[in-house]
Amino acid sequence: MDAIKWNGDSVTLLDQRLLPLKEVYNTYTNYSDIAAAITNMETRGAPAIGIAAGMGIALAAQGIGTGDIVKFRDEMSRIFGIFAATRPTAVNLFWTIDRMKKITHELTDVKQLKETLKKEAVRIHEEDIAANRQMGKNGSRFLNDGDIVMTHCNAGALATGGYGTALGVIRAAVEEGKKIEVFACETRPYLQGARLTTWELYRDNIPVTLITDNMSGHFMKTGVIKKIIVGADRIARNGDTANKIGTYTHSVLAKEHGIPFLVAAPMSTLDPDTATGNDIVIEQRSTDEVAFVQNVQIAPEGIKILNPSFDVTPAANISAIITEKGIIEKPEGRGIMGLF
Ligand code: MRU
């Protein structure tokens, strides 16, 4: 299963809105369709958003008719703006855009620029897969044979170039022969845990049990959950971590019960330019995602609803941040700069 695939002159995306009931792949040649696919959650997860944007930008560049570098750069600025406006929280998107911008500013030959942007998009994808594998190797020592490990949202192959961040660490532990069982929180309102995490783990024969988000405290208190591992959308300089709404609640409960709370993320998710979690922009999504469950309305018409898509877990609640470059244990007071 390739959730994102570069075909040279088009991009194929697995439509994650339809999982687990339908496995549909859509192929796009137009960059604006790829930008829309990021906004509408056809593809999602911080690293996957960055990868899809890179491919979309590379495709857009191919379609620019002018050989004049000034006009080409003007058109590219407009395209960078379109991708930057898709989703605000995952920093991987802006990290990709910065990489593509750098190339656009450095090279002056339009033909060469177009080729280099294509190569960069492929490189961003390949680097992400390699980072996930290395993260898995670095982080698997935190998981013991027999552990039940809870995760929230989907930080797996679907959310990345492949293999996954949090689920990558779990996959690595399983590949080392450890018996691991995963508790997947359903992740209201968009149900990434129920729909996506269970789907990909089940396909890989990794034992997975679905629980609702409000069951996590019960299973921590009763000693069932031994570790928690999640992904991240943006990690601020001081280690505060934005991830899917509900992550913060689990982290508070983990602290109360002395359960290790691990964050796995590639270096592309670490954001040295953002000082603390208070500076992270939290995406507010449509209230229909809360008012409806799979197209069935569950709340009265016209009531007030809030739908922040992410929350921030303070560094103080995190036991370790696992990256491909190394691990920061107890990031509180230490932050992330030791990895740069
Ligand atoms: O809204 P989503 O589905 O894009 O949110 C995804 C998450 O919050 C993931 O946990 C995060 O991006 C890490 S994915 C490796």
Side-chain angles (χ1 to χ4, degrees):
M1 176 268 297
D2 283 320
I4 306 179
K5 196 161 161 270
W6 172 253
N7 310 311
D9 52 4
S10 65
V11 174
T12 301
L13 299 176
L14 170 55
D15 191 339
Q16 300 193 28
R17 298 167 302 179
L18 305 178
L19 289 172
L21 302 180
K22 287 186 194 148
E23 192 175 335
V24 174
Y25 294 83
N26 300 319
T27 296
Y28 297 115
T29 51
N30 191 323
Y31 75 90
S32 51
D33 290 336
I34 297 170
I38 295 172
T39 305
N40 70 25
M41 306 282 276
E42 182 174 336
T43 191
R44 32 68 49 206
I49 292 170
I51 294 163
M55 292 178 181
I57 290 166
L59 270 189
Q62 310 313 307
I64 300 175
T66 180
D68 180 301
I69 185 66
V70 176
K71 287 186 184 141
F72 181 85
R73 283 184 182 145
D74 278 353
E75 184 55 7
M76 285 304 291
S77 303
R78 194 183 65 78
I79 288 153
F80 291 138
I82 289 171
F83 279 92
T86 52
R87 294 191 72 191
T89 305
V91 74
N92 309 60
L93 170 68
F94 304 96
W95 176 85
T96 287
I97 292 173
D98 283 349
R99 277 177 71 154
M100 301 309 245
K101 268 186 186 167
K102 191 163 179 280
I103 291 169
T104 308
H105 289 140
E106 277 174 9
L107 300 183
T108 49
D109 179 77
V110 169
K111 199 162 167 250
Q112 190 196 0
L113 237 166
K114 288 181 178 178
E115 277 313 301
T116 310
L117 288 171
K118 270 197 202 181
K119 284 191 188 130
E120 189 74 349
V122 173
R123 192 174 297 132
I124 288 170
H125 189 192
E126 288 170 353
E127 280 177 9
D128 186 65
I129 300 171
N132 288 338
R133 293 260 170 198
Q134 189 57 46
M135 219 180 295
K137 283 192 188 126
N138 294 351
S140 61
R141 69 174 164 88
F142 289 100
L143 308 185
N144 296 329
D145 189 32
D147 273 352
I148 292 184
V149 180
M150 190 184 91
T151 190
H152 189 71
C153 194
N154 172 263
L158 291 168
T160 61
Y163 201 67
T165 57
L167 297 193
V169 172
I170 290 170
R171 284 194 167 98
V174 170
E175 283 163 18
E176 286 166 12
K178 293 175 191 167
K179 196 172 153 290
I180 305 288
E181 183 177 341
V182 179
F183 271 30
C185 289
E186 69 170 348
T187 318
R188 274 280 286 151
Y190 209 73
L191 305 175
Q192 289 94 329
R195 299 189 301 105
L196 309 177
T197 295
T198 56
W199 183 79
E200 69 166 88
L201 291 177
Y202 186 70
R203 279 167 63 108
D204 270 9
N205 287 319
I206 297 176
V208 57
T209 300
L210 175 64
I211 60 171
T212 64
D213 302 327
N214 52 0
M215 293 175 189
S216 71
H218 167 71
F219 287 116
M220 288 187 221
K221 184 162 173 277
T222 51
V224 175
I225 291 165
K226 302 294 184 207
K227 314 275 156 60
I228 297 166
I229 185 159
V230 295
D233 287 83
R234 191 186 289 248
I235 303 180
R237 198 159 63 232
N238 71 343
D240 290 353
T241 295
N243 191 48
K244 182 52 55 193
I245 190 77
T247 304
Y248 165 66
T249 316
H250 299 314
S251 79
V252 174
L253 286 160
K255 203 172 188 187
E256 168 74 14
H257 296 293
I259 295 169
F261 189 93
L262 309 163
V263 173
M267 290 299 291
S268 55
T269 303
L270 275 55
D271 181 10
D273 297 331
T274 294
T276 76
N278 296 333
D279 306 307
I280 298 176
V281 176
I282 301 292
E283 178 182 11
Q284 307 293 321
R285 292 191 59 86
S286 163
T287 55
D288 282 354
E289 290 179 0
V290 178
F292 291 79
V293 174
Q294 303 286 286
N295 296 326
V296 176
Q297 190 172 343
I298 57 158
E301 198 76 47
I303 60 154
K304 190 177 169 195
I305 298 174
L306 295 173
N307 188 16
S309 194
F310 301 94
D311 59 25
V312 174
T313 297
N317 292 6
I318 298 172
S319 313
I321 296 173
I322 301 161
T323 76
E324 72 275 29
K325 222 169 155 190
I327 291 169
I328 299 174
E329 296 208 40
K330 298 195 177 71
E332 187 188 15
R334 192 172 295 169
I336 59 170
M337 292 316 286
L339 288 175
F340 286 88

